[in-house]
Amino acid sequence: MIGPGKAELMEGILRTGSIAAAGRDMGMSYKRAWQLVETLNSIFNQPLVVSSRGGAKGGGAHLTEAGQQVLDAYRQVEAAAVEAAQPALSVLRALRTDIPEGK
């Protein structure tokens, strides 16, 4: 549904006010950024991103209230996963062999 790339794109749209600029910041083509936005808007019951065409006042894009809720919920899931994984990661760190740099 949503993963790190889509979440980063949504955050970029928040930051830049532009789908194209957010995609560019991620090294993504304009077409790919728009495809991801269209996918996001189609898999939820409300649009997450809305855009307006350029012109005298300029165009742009922004997250809807639903978009902000989805992004916030995704970031909460990420934080909970990191917290839940800490005990297992501690075990793995304790059992690993230090690998020399460059290998």
Side-chain angles (χ1 to χ4, degrees):
M1 201 181 295
I2 182 170
K6 290 176 186 158
E8 184 179 347
L9 181 62
M10 291 173 71
E11 286 176 336
I13 292 167
L14 270 175
R15 187 177 57 257
T16 65
S18 165
I19 295 169
R24 227 180 358 262
D25 287 352
M26 295 175 66
M28 184 184 299
S29 73
Y30 175 79
K31 181 179 179 180
R32 180 68 180 142
W34 268 96
Q35 287 173 333
L36 289 176
V37 167
E38 288 173 349
T39 298
L40 283 166
N41 283 344
S42 71
I43 59 179
F44 289 92
N45 62 12
Q46 299 175 47
L48 304 187
V49 177
V50 293
S51 63
S52 59
R53 292 189 182 269
K57 296 182 181 179
H62 66 275
L63 297 188
T64 63
E65 185 177 334
Q68 187 64 60
Q69 289 174 339
V70 166
L71 181 57
D72 291 346
Y74 177 76
R75 291 302 185 207
Q76 289 172 7
V77 167
E78 271 188 328
V82 167
E83 186 176 330
Q86 289 310 308
L89 290 173
S90 293
V91 170
L92 293 174
R93 285 185 196 105
L95 295 172
R96 78 172 181 218
T97 301
D98 287 339
I99 300 171
E101 281 190 40
K103 298 238 179 185

